[in-house]
Amino acid sequence: MNFFVYANDPYDRIWVPGEVVDGLTTVTNAAIVIDVSVPDNPPQAALQNAITTSNTSQYISLGNGLFPAKPVPIYVNMYFSEVSELDSSTQTRSFLVFVNDAPVSQEAIVPPYGSVTELYIGNITASSNTSFTLAADSNSTLPPLINAMEVFYVSDPMTDGTNSKDVEGLASLQSQFDVLNEWGGDPCLPSPYTWDWVNCSTDATPRVTALYLSGFTLSGPLPDFSSMDALVIIDLHDNSLSESVPDFLGTLPSLKQLNLADNEFSGPIPPSLSNNNKLKLVVSGNPNLCVSGKSCATTTGSSSDIPSGSGKKKSSNLPAILGSTIPIFFVFWAIVGIVGVLHHRRKAAAISALHTGSK
């Protein structure tokens, strides 16, 4: 399955080329620049190609294999952009959209050249028998076309999201360190899209079990994230964290590994850490940090002794929704882009099937 994500897509959507079956033709948009100023801002690249038929007596049918056998609530966005400048004296393209032979609107779609029209179809139930049809109206001299289509499936209730105590602690970290605000949404769910710098348990209500924040250019004091009492690993090495090492770190009941190396911490190490024989503690590279009341540490373990994350990864483009309430529903996006073959690699998504017929 070919699928890809466009770099300038504000919603980081997954797009899949539509299947071109007999009777359908792929056409390329002649517009060099396409204005995408519509509510859902499709990426311009998704509009550079379109699917059409060979004449006005044929229609485009979408739906075969696109929806599950069991009826589900869906929301649909369709995008239409004219692929060439038409001669207004002899050429017109206008068509209607039907769902199971019922018109979505009495107003015909007239795709604009150099920009895009968006059609939103909401609050309908679809199954394997559902079809969307695009058919030219009586005024059109050209067949229908479609550039891209999004389908949103609404799932059954799943969980309450990541444990609220972990959400509270992560909010404290994001409030203190602006760089962490590049990540938003639920930190652990859905599981393939966990935040890059956390590890989570597989419980129905996930817990955050590790923080991998090495090399994130964090500076200043650590905020209190003691509510994250399921943490097993905390890796904060290679930053510019300063002031004293917080005592709450030694009260985290599950903590096994703590890497504070190569920072600017000062003062004594709290007894809750230094006296914890079950904790692997690394504090090298903090010249002003005292391991006792009489001396300061210069080499207490090596920062390589604790496994760390791979450093700062590419940030998630999910909307920043972290707050006091975790949603109990989520929307699964099966996003279908009807575009030409591009060479990108991303996560899998559903494939749409396009079919043609005759009036």
Side-chain angles (χ1 to χ4, degrees):
M1 180 190 300
N2 293 322
F3 49 87
F4 37 85
V5 170
Y6 298 110
N8 63 345
D9 187 345
Y11 300 116
D12 202 28
R13 288 163 285 198
I14 299 170
W15 299 86
V16 179
E19 180 183 354
V20 181
V21 297
D22 291 342
L24 293 178
T25 303
T26 301
V27 290
T28 300
N29 202 324
I32 298 175
V33 177
I34 303 173
D35 182 0
V36 295
S37 300
V38 290
D40 291 287
N41 299 109
Q44 179 174 309
L47 307 176
Q48 289 177 341
N49 295 279
I51 294 294
T52 187
T53 62
S54 58
N55 57 66
T56 57
S57 66
Q58 294 183 313
Y59 58 84
I60 300 172
S61 180
L62 307 95
N64 185 24
L66 181 60
F67 307 113
K70 180 182 177 181
V72 293
I74 66 167
Y75 299 83
V76 175
N77 293 331
M78 293 182 177
Y79 301 104
F80 310 98
S81 178
E82 184 56 69
V83 294
S84 61
E85 289 192 82
L86 304 183
D87 183 344
S88 59
S89 63
T90 59
Q91 294 178 305
T92 59
R93 192 191 307 273
S94 57
F95 50 89
L96 297 173
V97 178
F98 300 82
V99 178
N100 293 336
D101 298 326
V104 173
S105 171
Q106 297 300 323
E107 184 176 351
I109 300 293
V110 180
Y113 180 68
S115 60
V116 61
T117 289
E118 176 178 354
L119 176 64
Y120 169 73
I121 306 172
N123 197 27
I124 62 174
T125 300
S127 67
S128 56
N129 296 321
T130 301
S131 65
F132 292 82
T133 303
L134 282 61
D137 67 8
S138 58
N139 298 318
S140 185
T141 64
L142 297 172
L145 63 72
I146 182 170
N147 304 74
M149 175 179 175
E150 297 175 87
V151 179
F152 300 77
Y153 296 83
V154 182
S155 80
D156 293 329
M158 293 186 67
T159 74
D160 289 334
T162 299
N163 188 284
S164 60
K165 294 194 292 184
D166 296 327
V167 172
E168 177 186 344
L170 292 172
S172 296
L173 287 165
Q174 290 187 308
S175 178
Q176 177 72 8
F177 305 118
D178 288 342
V179 67
L180 302 184
N181 288 310
E182 296 178 24
W183 285 264
D186 191 290
C188 295
L189 295 173
S191 57
Y193 307 107
T194 298
W195 290 4
D196 295 324
W197 44 277
V198 304
N199 272 5
C200 300
S201 70
T202 57
D203 302 326
T205 300
R207 297 302 309 268
V208 176
T209 58
L211 297 176
Y212 293 114
L213 288 169
S214 62
F216 271 65
T217 66
L218 308 181
S219 62
L222 275 177
D224 185 348
F225 52 93
S226 57
S227 61
M228 302 180 70
D229 55 11
L231 284 170
V232 178
I233 298 174
I234 300 175
D235 183 4
L236 296 168
H237 86 272
D238 191 22
N239 286 291
S240 298
L241 297 168
S242 59
E243 300 188 19
S244 60
V245 176
D247 184 67
F248 77 81
L249 293 172
T251 67
L252 297 173
S254 301
L255 191 63
K256 302 298 182 186
Q257 300 178 19
L258 175 61
N259 192 340
L260 303 177
D262 302 319
N263 279 285
E264 299 173 8
F265 288 112
S266 60
I269 297 176
S272 59
L273 292 173
S274 59
N275 296 334
N276 187 344
N277 295 327
K278 297 181 180 180
L279 175 67
K280 185 173 183 62
L281 175 65
V282 181
V283 295
S284 59
N286 290 274
N288 296 319
L289 187 64
C290 299
V291 294
S292 70
K294 296 181 180 180
S295 62
C296 290
T298 55
T299 56
T300 303
S302 168
S303 62
S304 62
D305 289 343
I306 293 180
S308 66
S310 58
K312 183 177 179 181
K313 304 177 185 176
K314 182 179 178 182
S315 66
S316 165
N317 289 322
L318 292 173
I321 314 175
L322 186 63
S324 59
T325 302
I326 300 297
I328 61 174
F329 295 88
F330 82 98
V331 180
F332 175 75
W333 291 22
I335 303 175
V336 181
I338 304 166
V339 295
V341 176
L342 298 179
H343 300 286
H344 292 265
R345 58 179 182 83
R346 293 297 282 202
K347 310 175 186 76
I351 296 181
S352 69
L354 307 182
H355 294 272
T356 183
S358 298
K359 292 181 179 177

